[in-house]
């Protein structure tokens, strides 16, 4: 982002996690509470990035292995005679998706619990920052009157 920007910047989706990274604006006179909020948001983003990058890699790898094993069982190659990548029908892929989700259920539940904890903390900090800013604004208004 440009040096004069006073906003967070959102980048293009990451190729591994598919999440859009955020470059957080750091105000020149950031209070300790505002810093805690920004750092909590950055940590939440990093945790999400790590989880979804690992998850998507595992998904793609297991999907390829599943397709290969099903095609091999049918006596087919990964590419057909025209060089196109061979595919499976929707019912066969539904079996994979169901198995993958079942196998990773506990990981998803743990991720969701952690996500809610992090976002509750962020929401609480946002409330504190809003209250502190409101009180600071009221004090400034009182002095200027």
């Amino acid at each position: 982002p440009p040096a004069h920007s006073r906003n967070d910047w959102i980048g293009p989706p990451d190729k591994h996690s598919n999440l859009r990274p955020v470059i957080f604006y750091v105000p020149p006179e950031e209070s300790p509470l505002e810093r805690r909020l920004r750092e909590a948001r950055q940590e939440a983003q990093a945790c999400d990035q790590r989880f979804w990058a690992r998850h998507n890699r595992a998904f793609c790898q297991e999907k390829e292995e599943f397709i290969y094993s099903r095609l091999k069982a049918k006596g087919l190659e990964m590419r057909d005679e025209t060089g196109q990548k061979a595919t499976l029908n929707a019912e066969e892929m539904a079996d994979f998706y169901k198995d993958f989700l079942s196998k990773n259920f506990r990981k998803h539940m743990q991720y969701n619990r952690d996500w809610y904890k992090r976002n509750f903390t962020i929401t609480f900090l946002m409330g504190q920052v809003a209250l502190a800013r409101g009180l600071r604004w009221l004090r400034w208004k009182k002095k200027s009157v």
Side-chain angles (χ1 to χ4, degrees):
H4 65 278
S5 175
R6 296 178 46 89
N7 299 304
D8 296 341
W9 279 67
I10 300 172
D14 179 78
K15 66 181 181 178
H16 300 292
S17 69
N18 291 325
L19 298 178
R20 296 172 66 100
V22 178
I23 298 171
F24 294 96
Y25 170 67
V26 181
E29 296 178 13
E30 183 178 48
S31 72
L33 186 59
E34 290 169 328
R35 187 184 82 251
R36 278 183 53 207
L37 171 60
R38 179 179 48 81
E39 289 172 349
R41 291 176 66 205
Q42 288 171 324
E43 179 58 30
Q45 177 180 306
C47 288
D48 291 343
Q49 176 71 26
R50 284 189 303 271
F51 175 83
W52 287 109
R54 273 194 314 266
H55 179 273
N56 291 346
R57 263 193 305 276
F59 177 83
C60 289
Q61 181 181 353
E62 290 181 34
K63 181 179 166 188
E64 287 298 316
E65 290 169 1
F66 177 83
I67 292 171
Y68 178 76
S69 69
R70 287 287 174 103
L71 290 173
K72 189 174 180 180
K74 291 179 178 183
L76 301 172
E77 295 293 322
M78 286 297 283
R79 299 211 177 262
D80 62 16
E81 55 278 347
T82 64
Q84 294 279 348
K85 201 171 186 181
T87 59
L88 300 174
N89 64 35
E91 289 82 25
E92 290 172 306
M93 289 309 296
D95 291 338
F96 165 73
Y97 298 133
K98 181 181 178 293
D99 291 342
F100 184 82
L101 288 174
S102 295
K103 195 167 56 174
N104 289 284
F105 178 77
R106 289 195 189 281
K107 287 180 189 175
H108 283 236
M109 289 301 292
Q110 185 61 47
Y111 170 78
N112 284 339
R113 272 189 228 106
D114 293 343
W115 186 89
Y116 276 107
K117 286 177 192 174
R118 284 192 307 271
N119 282 286
F120 178 78
T121 301
I122 288 169
T123 303
F124 183 72
L125 288 171
M126 288 175 91
Q128 288 181 315
V129 166
L131 182 62
R133 286 178 181 169
L135 292 173
R136 192 171 38 217
W137 182 79
L138 285 174
R139 275 189 238 122
W140 179 81
K141 282 295 240 186
K142 192 175 179 181
K143 286 181 184 176
S144 64
V145 170

